[in-house]
C-alpha cells in the first residue's frame, strides 16, 4: 500500500478520527493538510504529523462554506506542492428524538455533514481535473448511514446522504479517473461519542456511560473502535492499491451486531 509522497487534505483533523487518519497517512509517508474550525488544536496535530518526517500544513475552514473548502484545496496544493487525495471527514452528531427536531437542527447538521461533503467532492474533483491527474475522494459515512439510529435520526439521514453522494460522484467522475469511496465506522471512542452518551443520559435518564457501553457490548470483536482502526481503511482507500474500487461505502465496525 503506498501513499508515500501523496498530498492529502483531511477535514476535521484537529481530533478524533480525522487526527488518526492524518497521523496514519503521515506514518505511511504522505504529506498532509490539516483542515478544521478548531484553530487552537491544529498546531499540535501539525507537530505530530511532522514528527514522521513529512510535510504538514494547517488551514482553518468551515466545511459548510463552499468558498472556504475551495480555499482549503488551493492552500493544500500551494503548501504541499500537489493535491492527490481529499478526505471529507468533518462531521457533527446530534442526539434528539425526531419529535423535537427543529428547522434550525436540520439546517445546522445538513449544512456540515452533507453540504460539507458536496463542497469537498466538488472542490477536490475540480482541482484533480485542473492538475490533469487521477485523484481520490474519501467521505465519512457511518454504520448510521446503513441503519437509522434511534435518537440520531437526522444524523443518520446525513450519513445515508453521504453514501448517495459517494455513489453518484463515483459515476460522474469515473471517466476522469477519479475514485470516490466512503468509510463507515462503528462505535469509535472519540469526543463525538462522549457527547452522544451524555445527551442520551440527559434525555433518557440512563446513567452516564450506559449508552456507550450498550453499543460497545454489541460489537462482535468485543471492543470499541479506535481512530487508528478507521485510519487503516482510509490509508488503503488513499493508496494506489484501491485504484479499482469506486462508489463503495465500506463498513469498518468490528462486526457490530446491535444497532
Ligand atoms: N465517533 C464515531 O463513533 C463515528 C464517527 N463517524 C464520523 O466520523 C467523522 C469524525 O468523527 P469523530 O472524530 O468521532 O468526531 P469528533 O467530534 O471527535 O471530531 C470532529 C472534528 O470535525 C471538526 N468539525 C466539526 N464541524 C466542522 C466544520 N463545520 N468545519 C470543519 N471542521 C469541523 C471538529 O472541530 C472536530 O475536530 C464524522 O463525520 C462522524 O460523523 C462515523 C461513524 C462513527
Ligand atoms: C457516531 C456514529 O456515527 C455512530 C454510529 O456511532
Amino acid at each position: 500500500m503506498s501513499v508515500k509522497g501523496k498530498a492529502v487534505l483531511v477535514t476535521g483533523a484537529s481530533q478524533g478520527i480525522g487526527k488518526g487518519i492524518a497521523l496514519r497517512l503521515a506514518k505511511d509517508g504522505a504529506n498532509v493538510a490539516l483542515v478544521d474550525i478548531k484553530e487552537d488544536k491544529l498546531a499540535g496535530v501539525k507537530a505530530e504529523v511532522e514528527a514522521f518526517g513529512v510535510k504538514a500544513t494547517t488551514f482553518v475552514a468551515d466545511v459548510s462554506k463552499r468558498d472556504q473548502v475551495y480555499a482549503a484545496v488551493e492552500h493544500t496544493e500551494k503548501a504541499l506542492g500537489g493535491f492527490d487525495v481529499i478526505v471529507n471527514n468533518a462531521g457533527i452528531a446530534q442526539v434528539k428524538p425526531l419529535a423535537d427536531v427543529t428547522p434550525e437542527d436540520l439546517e445546522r447538521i445538513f449544512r456540515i455533514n452533507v453540504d460539507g461533503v458536496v463542497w469537498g467532492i466538488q472542490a477536490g474533483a475540480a482541482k484533480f481535473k485542473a492538475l490533469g491527474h487521477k485523484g481520490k475522494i474519501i467521505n465519512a459515512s457511518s454504520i448510521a448511514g446503513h441503519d437509522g439510529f434511534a435518537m440520531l435520526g437526522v444524523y443518520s439521514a446525513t450519513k445515508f446522504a453521504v453514501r448517495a453522494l459517494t455513489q453518484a460522484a463515483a459515476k460522474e467522475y469515473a471517466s476522469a479517473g477519479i475514485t470516490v469511496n466512503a468509510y463507515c465506522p462503528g462505535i469509535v471512542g472519540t469526543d463525538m461519542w462522549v457527547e452522544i452518551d451524555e445527551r442520551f443520559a440527559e434525555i433518557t435518564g440512563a446513567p452516564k456511560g450506559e449508552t456507550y457501553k450498550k453499543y460497545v457490548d454489541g460489537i462482535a470483536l468485543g471492543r470499541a473502535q479506535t481512530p487508528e482502526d478507521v485510519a487503516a481503511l482510509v490509508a488503503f482507500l488513499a493508496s494506489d492499491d484501491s485504484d479499482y474500487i469506486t462508489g463503495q461505502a465500506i463498513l469498518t465496525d468490528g462486526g457490530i451486531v446491535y444497532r
Side-chain angles (χ1 to χ4, degrees), residues 9 33 35 59-61 67-77 83:
L9 186 166
V35 176
F59 194 82
V60 177
D67 57 336
Q68 293 186 25
V69 176
Y70 273 81
V73 168
E74 284 303 319
H75 172 85
T76 302
E77 188 206 347
F83 186 72

Side-chain angles (χ1 to χ4, degrees), residues 93-226:
Q94 184 196 42
V95 179
K96 214 178 213 193
L98 283 169
D100 296 341
V101 168
T102 64
E104 292 75 23
D105 293 329
L106 286 170
E107 178 69 18
R108 193 172 63 92
I109 303 168
F110 270 84
R111 292 299 74 83
I112 295 173
N113 291 8
V114 181
D115 296 19
V117 171
V118 173
W119 307 144
I121 290 171
Q122 208 181 69
K127 179 56 75 180
F128 297 143
K129 284 185 175 179
L131 294 173
H133 66 221
K134 298 170 184 175
K136 291 180 185 291
I137 298 171
I138 304 170
N139 302 321
S141 180
S142 167
I143 44 169
H146 288 261
D147 273 311
F149 271 50
M151 308 280 267
L152 283 155
V154 175
Y155 172 78
S156 296
T158 65
K159 294 301 178 180
F160 271 76
V162 170
R163 286 178 58 207
L165 290 166
T166 299
Q167 290 176 347
K171 291 168 189 153
E172 290 187 26
Y173 294 116
S175 61
I178 297 166
T179 63
V180 190
N181 292 292
Y183 52 99
C184 304
I187 310 298
V188 192
T190 64
D191 284 3
M192 180 175 276
W193 249 104
V194 172
E195 283 166 31
I196 290 173
D197 181 78
E198 281 174 2
R199 278 295 290 152
F200 263 97
E202 280 166 27
I203 294 170
T204 68
K208 271 193 189 168
E210 188 177 277
T211 306
Y212 181 64
K213 183 178 180 316
K214 183 182 83 175
Y215 278 99
V216 172
D217 284 348
I219 298 171
L221 289 180
R223 65 166 175 87
Q225 192 165 12
T226 63

Side-chain angles (χ1 to χ4, degrees), residues 1-3 6 136 235-244:
M1 277 192 347
S2 183
V3 293
K6 285 185 194 263
K136 291 180 185 291
F236 167 66
L237 291 174
S239 78
D240 298 339
D241 284 356
S242 71
D243 276 358
Y244 199 66

Side-chain angles (χ1 to χ4, degrees), residues 17-106:
I17 294 171
K19 178 180 171 182
I21 290 168
L23 293 177
R24 168 62 194 258
L25 292 171
K27 188 176 161 213
D28 290 355
N31 300 311
V32 188
L34 307 157
V35 176
D36 207 291
I37 40 172
K38 288 187 183 156
E39 186 172 12
D40 53 324
K41 289 189 166 186
L42 283 173
V45 182
K46 179 172 181 272
E48 286 187 61
V49 167
E50 285 170 339
F52 289 103
V54 298
K55 280 195 257 180
T57 186
T58 63
F59 194 82
V60 177
D62 176 346
V63 297
S64 71
K65 306 279 188 273
R66 187 175 190 238
D67 57 336
Q68 293 186 25
V69 176
Y70 273 81
V73 168
E74 284 303 319
H75 172 85
T76 302
E77 188 206 347
K78 284 197 181 68
L80 301 182
F83 186 72
D84 303 292
V85 181
I86 183 165
V87 184
N88 296 309
N89 167 76
I92 59 168
Q94 184 196 42
V95 179
K96 214 178 213 193
L98 283 169
D100 296 341
V101 168
T102 64
E104 292 75 23
D105 293 329
L106 286 170

